[in-house]
Amino acid sequence: MPELPEVETIKRVLEPQVKSQKISDITANRTDIIAYPSAEIFCEKIKDQTISAMDRRGKFLIILLESGDKIILHLRMTGCLLVTMHDDPQEKHTHIIFHLSNGSELRFSDTRRFGRFWYIQSHEEDTYSGISRLGLEPFDKNLSAGYLEKKFSRCKKTVKGCLLDQSVVAGIGNIYSDEILFRAKVCPSRPANSLSGCEWERLSAAISECMAFFIEKNAITPEEYLETKGQDYRNTPFLQVYGHDGENCPVCGEILCRTVIGGRSSVYCPGCQGNL
């Protein structure tokens, strides 16, 4: 599943291409991916509206319309959003096409069909998509050691599990939780209530530093993004531990270990982060 750095990359690539474009028509090949409202109302309300900008909240993409309405999208596991010319061949499993006034198309494809769209009018409260339940963004000035300690210091859950809690910090998934914990020198299986004040400080700093680092490293041109069909833009060479179990730690040389925490694979360094 794309995590915050990937979703931010998509937003930065696509926004200049769709900004100020009118949605002249919509083709909905699969209506079941429209979660709210009905597919008929979704298409009717969006047609002839103009895109003013794109935004991101956690792992959600948001298409802002000049009317104040917005289209919210969660890519889930395999969702992909591309801007193409109208005569370009469609990707397999293309479910929704927004036909734009300049002749281009904003296309959404999704092999596993877990991705979802919501249309929220300007006067509506969004009680549908789940955005209202998200916690702080990794770059929020209020995301401090004190904030994390207040949320988790009495929690017996593993610190890895805490980082995946979207109601506290939005946008962190399995990949970057490993990278954050490695940077903070905290073992992923540690109960959150066992962390010291210094460890909370390191963890809060690592969250913003790590996410900013990977957003920078994920930078890609629109041409490169389209060429790879939006599927191969992660700069995995920059991952320090995730996917590297059995290899030497890039810092201390110890062998990186893999374990399963809460059903999720986790890679860590027993030298830098301590043993389970």
Side-chain angles (χ1 to χ4, degrees):
M1 176 187 293
E3 299 181 29
L4 186 152
E6 288 73 46
V7 178
E8 180 66 23
T9 296
I10 295 168
K11 179 248 177 189
R12 293 185 183 189
V13 167
L14 298 186
E15 182 180 36
Q17 301 180 73
V18 301
K19 187 175 181 180
S20 301
Q21 295 302 313
K22 179 186 284 188
I23 301 171
S24 57
D25 204 357
I26 302 168
T27 300
N29 295 321
R30 287 199 67 100
T31 59
D32 55 334
I33 65 169
I34 299 172
Y36 176 83
S38 68
E40 182 180 1
I41 294 174
F42 181 93
C43 296
E44 175 189 320
K45 292 289 187 181
I46 291 170
K47 185 178 178 181
D48 294 327
Q49 293 221 47
T50 298
I51 298 170
S52 61
M54 287 186 71
D55 201 357
R56 178 199 54 75
R57 181 74 170 96
K59 302 176 189 179
F60 289 84
L61 275 170
I62 306 168
I63 301 172
L64 303 172
L65 304 173
E66 286 187 354
S67 65
D69 298 351
K70 54 192 174 186
I71 304 165
I72 299 171
L73 165 63
H74 201 299
L75 299 167
R76 301 283 168 82
M77 297 296 293
T78 57
C80 175
L81 205 57
L82 296 175
V83 174
T84 72
M85 295 309 297
H86 73 279
D87 54 353
D88 288 345
Q90 288 186 25
E91 294 302 301
K92 195 175 181 181
H93 307 293
T94 295
H95 304 315
I96 288 189
I97 303 171
F98 299 92
H99 304 272
L100 304 180
S101 52
N102 66 352
S104 66
E105 295 179 348
L106 179 62
R107 299 176 179 175
F108 175 73
S109 60
D110 188 358
T111 304
R112 300 183 69 176
R113 301 198 304 273
F114 291 154
R116 289 293 181 269
F117 281 85
W118 298 263
Y119 169 67
I120 308 296
Q121 297 184 74
S122 58
H123 64 269
E124 280 187 291
E125 180 184 357
D126 179 10
T127 59
Y128 307 98
S129 69
I131 282 183
S132 62
R133 297 190 293 273
L134 294 178
L136 297 181
E137 288 284 313
F139 312 111
D140 193 305
K141 63 181 180 180
N142 295 311
L143 181 54
S144 63
Y147 171 80
L148 294 176
E149 193 167 4
K150 182 179 179 180
K151 292 289 185 180
F152 295 131
S153 63
R154 297 183 181 181
C155 183
K156 296 179 181 179
K157 189 165 63 173
T158 65
V159 66
K160 163 101 175 188
C162 290
L163 284 181
L164 298 177
D165 185 344
Q166 302 297 300
S167 70
V168 178
V169 183
I172 300 173
N174 200 45
I175 295 173
Y176 296 115
S177 59
D178 278 2
E179 296 297 309
I180 288 165
L181 289 164
F182 176 69
R183 188 179 289 238
K185 300 185 185 302
V186 175
C187 186
S189 65
R190 287 269 302 277
N193 62 4
S194 73
L195 268 63
S196 67
C198 289
E199 288 172 321
W200 286 119
E201 290 284 355
R202 292 204 305 268
L203 190 59
S204 65
I207 289 172
S208 58
E209 290 170 3
C210 187
M211 299 306 255
F213 174 81
F214 282 101
I215 287 173
E216 177 190 349
K217 296 303 180 185
N218 278 353
I220 188 172
T221 67
E223 294 75 19
E224 291 168 332
Y225 179 82
L226 183 59
E227 183 180 352
T228 62
K229 308 302 182 186
Q231 297 293 327
D232 188 25
Y233 51 88
R234 287 183 180 171
N235 282 283
T236 51
F238 297 100
L239 294 173
Q240 298 289 288
V241 291
Y242 183 86
H244 291 288
D245 51 298
E247 300 177 18
N248 295 104
C249 171
V251 174
C252 74
E254 285 271 0
I255 300 297
L256 298 175
C257 297
R258 178 186 177 276
T259 188
V260 177
I261 299 172
R264 303 286 191 94
S265 172
S266 190
V267 180
Y268 69 99
C269 173
C272 295
Q273 297 169 263
N275 284 296
L276 296 178

